[in-house]
Amino acid sequence: MDILAIYGGLFAIAFAAATILPAQSEAALAGLLAMDSFSPAMLVLVASLGNVLGSVVNWGLGRGIERFRDRPWFPLRPATLNRATNWYHRYGRWSLLLSWMPIVGDPLTVVAGALREPLWSFVAIVALAKVSRYLVVAGTVLSLM
């Protein structure tokens, strides 16, 4: 096994999972942890880095979203985007702690960009949420082994 390919693949899956692309980074992380052939700390670090950077892409897309949101090819449904916007207006930047959640997490990161959340606070809060999720996955898998 090429170790760079393994870590690179995990990074790519985690990155894609944080964008609007369908991917399951938790399953990939759990599978690699269960193999017991790689450093758990390095796996969590790589998955976290990929996932946070994918969220930064969403934030960047959100910065220019208003001119594209009504286009037929736009990947987020208006209802999903509106729900995330309302949630963000109600709870502010701390709603980004839910960025790890399926369905609402990715739109929240797009909305944060659209509502001009500063990049530094965005990255700090999203990293906390994403790293925590991967630590829970790793802790669960490792405790079962």
Side-chain angles (χ1 to χ4, degrees), residues 29-49:
L29 176 63
L32 290 170
L33 286 164
M35 290 175 66
D36 199 27
S37 300
F38 308 99
S39 162
M42 185 60 85
L43 290 172
V44 168
L45 177 67
V46 167
S48 298
L49 184 60

Side-chain angles (χ1 to χ4, degrees), residues 39-122:
S39 162
M42 185 60 85
L43 290 172
V44 168
L45 177 67
V46 167
S48 298
L49 184 60
N51 212 240
V52 170
L53 288 177
S55 292
V56 170
V57 168
N58 288 350
W59 176 88
L61 291 172
R63 301 288 285 190
I65 200 170
E66 286 308 314
R67 63 184 149 187
F68 300 118
R69 92 185 278 171
D70 294 325
R71 304 279 168 93
W73 51 263
F74 190 73
L76 294 175
R77 292 186 326 222
T80 302
L81 202 54
N82 288 336
R83 187 170 47 247
T85 300
N86 291 339
W87 187 273
Y88 200 88
H89 277 301
R90 183 172 183 185
Y91 297 105
R93 68 175 43 137
W94 298 109
S95 63
L96 290 170
L97 289 172
L98 300 177
S99 62
W100 64 271
M101 290 182 61
I103 300 170
V104 296
D106 297 339
L108 275 173
T109 60
V110 173
V111 167
L115 297 178
R116 304 294 194 244
E117 179 66 37
L119 183 59
W120 69 268
S121 57
F122 174 85

Side-chain angles (χ1 to χ4, degrees), residues 13-33:
I13 290 169
F15 183 93
T19 67
I20 53 174
L21 300 172
Q24 284 297 318
S25 59
E26 296 88 351
L29 176 63
L32 290 170
L33 286 164

